[in-house]
């Protein structure tokens, strides 16, 4: 089996697994909230949904780092955020390209749009530039808000009713989607059909953080001009619309480390992925990994992410310790407010 084919299959396998896991977690959340609201069967809430609460995770991370106190209400939010950040520091924005279900959906819509319209679209360069800054503004807002919060305020929020019911609120948000939210979601879906990574590229503050961390990564994707046959396959396959065929190395926070470019390149040695600095003009030599080691890069990325999650599970830092009795009263109140 070719290393590049193996990488593509591995990525599809990981993305499919995560999507199925999210569907399962969504169903379990529905059942567990239903138990409290409608006296359905008792089902433990799935910790994996905490991955959709990154701002609370950031607050928990700050509290943990500054005081040593680890949030017990939604601990998996800290674990998933930390694992995503670590993956990004090591493997570019690899969480977005390999793990994030929103990234997977975004890419699937983009590919579907390509099939429907027979081509991919690009926004005007200056519109694209200004729109990309939106996600950094959102990141700056959330990061500054959390950074400026005192330890006492953080602890009060993480032990308060809003955070305790954050997962139930998320479920109720989608169950009782407002007209405004429906229009925004429809706009994002339509935008994703036309433009690669529409949500991720322009609006996702989580992706903005991981992209900036990815700039620290020792991982390099480089193009050897002598081996490149200028077929453009890498650009066509790139969901981040990076002009790979005009670059010697990919150094941008938009690259999500998906390796679709490397996997789809037909010219041996033209595109390579590895760690460390390349000798100038001699891609493929004296590297820790060669092009074929793209598979190893992918395996390491997956191992780091699931390794962190497994370690958290094994050490009791994953499942919520929120008391069910209090939870019942709190989400009943949430439902009242929704009405
Ligand atoms: S896919 Fe490979 S050969 Fe084709 S343009 Fe990109 S780097 Fe060059
Ligand atoms: S440059 Fe390659 S690894 Fe980066 S986003 Fe584009 S296709 Fe994926």
């Amino acid at each position: 089996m070719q290393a590049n084919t193996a990488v593509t299959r591995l990525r599809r396998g990981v993305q499919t697994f995560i999507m199925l896991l999210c569907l399962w977690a969504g169903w379990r959340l529905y059942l567990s909230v239903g138990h409290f609201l409608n006296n359905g069967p008792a089902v433990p809430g799935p910790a994996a949904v905490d991955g959709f609460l990154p701002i609370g995770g950031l607050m928990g991370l700050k509290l943990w780092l500054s005081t040593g106190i680890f949030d017990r209400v939604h601990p998996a939010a800290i674990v998933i955020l930390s694992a995503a950040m670590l993956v990004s520091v090591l493997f570019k924005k690899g969480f977005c390209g390999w793990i994030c279900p929103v990234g997977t959906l975004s890419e699937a819509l983009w590919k579907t749009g390509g099939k429907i319209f027979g081509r991919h679209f690009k926004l005007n360069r200056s519109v694209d530039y200004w729109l990309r800054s939106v996600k950094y503004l959102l990141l700056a807002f959330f990061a500054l808000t959390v950074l400026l919060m005192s330890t006492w305020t953080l602890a009060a929020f993480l032990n308060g009713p809003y955070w305790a019911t954050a997962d139930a609120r998320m479920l109720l948000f989608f169950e009782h989607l407002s007209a405004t939210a429906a229009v925004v979601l429809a706009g994002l879906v339509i935008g994703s059909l036309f433009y690669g990574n529409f949500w991720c590229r322009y609006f996702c503050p989580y992706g903005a953080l991981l992209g900036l961390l990815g700039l620290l990564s020792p991982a390099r994707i480089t193009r050897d001009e002598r081996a490149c046959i200028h077929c453009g396959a890498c650009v066509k396959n790139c969901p981040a619309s990076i002009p790979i065929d005009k670059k010697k190395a990919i150094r941008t926070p938009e690259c999500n480390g998906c390796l679709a470019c490397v996997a789809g390149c037909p010219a041996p040695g033209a595109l390579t992925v590895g760690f460390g600095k390349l000798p100038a003009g001699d891609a493929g030599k004296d590297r820790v990994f060669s092009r074929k080691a793209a598979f190893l890069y992918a395996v390491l990325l997956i191992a780091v992410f699931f390794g962190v999650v497994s370690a958290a599970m094994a050490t009791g830092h994953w499942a919520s310790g929120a008391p069910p009795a209090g939870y019942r009263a709190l989400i009943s109140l949430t439902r009242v407010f929704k009405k």
Side-chain angles (χ1 to χ4, degrees):
M1 186 189 291
Q2 292 284 313
N4 53 6
T5 307
V7 167
T8 305
R9 286 185 182 164
L10 184 61
R11 184 160 168 265
R12 280 192 197 136
V14 172
Q15 289 179 313
T16 306
F17 171 72
I18 296 287
M19 288 305 291
L20 292 175
L21 188 68
C22 288
L23 287 175
W24 172 84
W27 175 241
R28 298 282 294 188
L29 178 64
Y30 175 78
L31 293 179
S32 74
V33 172
H35 164 66
F36 290 109
L37 291 183
N38 308 317
N39 293 322
V43 174
V49 294
D50 293 358
F52 292 94
L53 308 171
I55 297 164
L58 190 60
M59 293 163 78
L61 187 59
K62 185 188 166 191
L63 186 69
W64 180 36
L65 294 178
S66 57
T67 66
I69 298 168
F70 200 86
D71 173 39
R72 291 286 163 193
V73 179
H74 292 293
I78 302 175
V79 174
I80 294 171
L81 176 64
S82 305
M85 290 167 71
L86 180 61
V87 163
S88 298
V89 168
L90 295 173
F91 305 100
K92 302 163 92 62
K93 205 169 55 169
F95 175 81
C96 305
W98 287 76
I99 313 282
C100 178
V102 182
T104 301
L105 270 180
S106 231
E107 194 180 331
L109 285 167
W110 174 66
K111 285 183 176 166
T112 306
K115 282 182 188 151
I116 294 172
F117 307 117
R119 55 170 287 215
H120 294 305
F121 295 82
K122 272 190 180 181
L123 281 173
N124 169 284
R125 206 169 157 175
S126 53
V127 175
D128 174 73
Y129 177 83
W130 287 110
L131 266 184
R132 269 192 283 152
S133 63
V134 172
K135 65 178 183 285
Y136 295 111
L137 290 173
L138 290 170
L139 172 64
F141 171 76
F142 290 122
L144 273 177
T145 303
V146 174
L147 283 174
L148 293 176
M149 286 173 88
S150 67
T151 303
W152 188 91
T153 313
L154 283 172
F157 176 84
L158 294 172
N159 288 293
Y162 193 93
W163 182 235
T165 55
D167 50 357
R169 285 169 193 276
M170 184 165 52
L171 178 75
L172 292 172
F173 171 82
F174 285 105
E175 269 190 356
H176 306 278
L177 206 59
S178 69
T180 309
V183 168
V184 170
L185 282 179
L188 289 173
V189 168
I190 293 167
S192 301
L193 287 169
F194 287 91
Y195 306 108
N197 284 353
F198 187 63
W199 160 256
C200 317
R201 186 177 180 85
Y202 299 122
F203 306 114
C204 181
Y206 200 171
L209 170 67
L210 300 183
L212 293 177
L213 290 174
L215 292 175
L216 303 172
S217 165
R220 300 270 185 280
I221 294 172
T222 48
R223 188 179 64 89
D224 187 338
E225 180 65 31
R226 295 164 306 174
C228 176
I229 56 173
H230 301 281
C231 65
C234 49
V235 183
K236 198 173 159 223
N237 287 330
C238 178
S241 306
I242 297 167
I244 304 159
D245 58 343
K246 295 186 178 59
K247 293 184 178 288
K248 281 188 178 171
I250 310 301
R251 287 190 203 93
T252 160
E254 301 304 331
C255 174
N256 62 20
C258 67
L259 301 189
C261 52
V262 178
C265 175
L271 266 186
T272 54
V273 61
F275 287 94
K277 204 169 180 233
L278 278 178
D282 200 9
K285 288 186 183 172
D286 300 329
R287 308 190 69 182
V288 180
F289 296 118
S290 70
R291 176 181 179 233
K292 285 187 179 177
F295 185 73
L296 185 54
Y297 169 100
V299 169
L300 287 174
L301 184 157
I302 295 160
V304 168
F305 182 80
F306 287 104
V308 172
V309 171
S310 303
M313 284 175 168
T315 56
H317 292 81
W318 181 253
S320 174
Y327 192 73
R328 179 191 296 274
L330 290 170
I331 54 178
S332 295
L333 272 176
T334 300
R335 188 170 62 168
V336 170
F337 287 131
K338 273 277 165 193
K339 287 176 179 170

